[in-house]
Amino acid sequence: MASVLVVDGANVVGSRPDGWWKDRAGAARRLHEALLVADTPYDEVVLVLEGQAKGGVRAGRDAHVRTVHAKGEGDEAIVEQARVAAARGDRVVVITADRFLQARVGGVGAQAMSPSWLLDQL
């Protein structure tokens, strides 16, 4: 059984008032770079990006980090990534502070944790 971390990129970036709104693509790129070098206990990290943030990181895999570009809002892509991984039998954790999204991913077999937990790991 693998362990998969699904990251709500917009929610994590938006959790710190560091000027991310001036450069959404740059903020997404910085998060991606931090995830690449972070020492986390996950076999795979899935970074879900939406809107202007998609311009900062190309979709696809870089080492253990896979970037997914959401077609619209990221929530649907996050739930789908969690559902697919849980259906494979993987242990899935989703990083988001969105309570409604936390409940949705719980319904597909994933655990939810806060952006502050992830940021402490980076």
Side-chain angles (χ1 to χ4, degrees):
M1 171 170 55
S3 58
V4 178
L5 184 69
V6 180
V7 179
D8 180 347
N11 198 265
V12 172
V13 165
S15 70
R16 289 191 297 196
D18 62 1
W20 60 265
W21 53 89
K22 298 175 193 168
D23 180 12
R24 295 174 197 272
R29 185 174 50 257
R30 288 188 297 278
L31 176 58
H32 179 262
E33 290 167 356
L35 291 169
L36 279 172
V37 299
D39 185 19
T40 67
Y42 294 91
D43 300 308
E44 180 182 29
V45 176
V46 180
L47 174 60
V48 178
L49 299 176
E50 62 185 50
Q52 294 175 351
K54 295 189 291 189
V57 185
R58 66 175 178 74
R61 180 176 297 281
D62 291 305
H64 66 289
V65 178
R66 184 166 50 89
T67 302
V68 173
H69 287 177
K71 288 180 177 60
E73 289 187 21
D75 290 10
E76 296 306 317
I78 291 163
V79 172
E80 180 63 11
Q81 293 298 315
R83 186 193 64 72
V84 168
R88 281 193 310 253
D90 294 341
R91 184 175 68 85
V92 184
V93 174
V94 174
I95 302 296
T96 186
D98 180 320
R99 299 267 185 222
F100 183 65
L101 183 55
Q102 288 176 350
R104 288 184 66 198
V105 299
V108 299
Q111 176 187 0
M113 294 179 68
S114 72
S116 60
W117 176 87
L118 177 63
L119 293 170
D120 287 347
Q121 309 301 306
L122 305 180

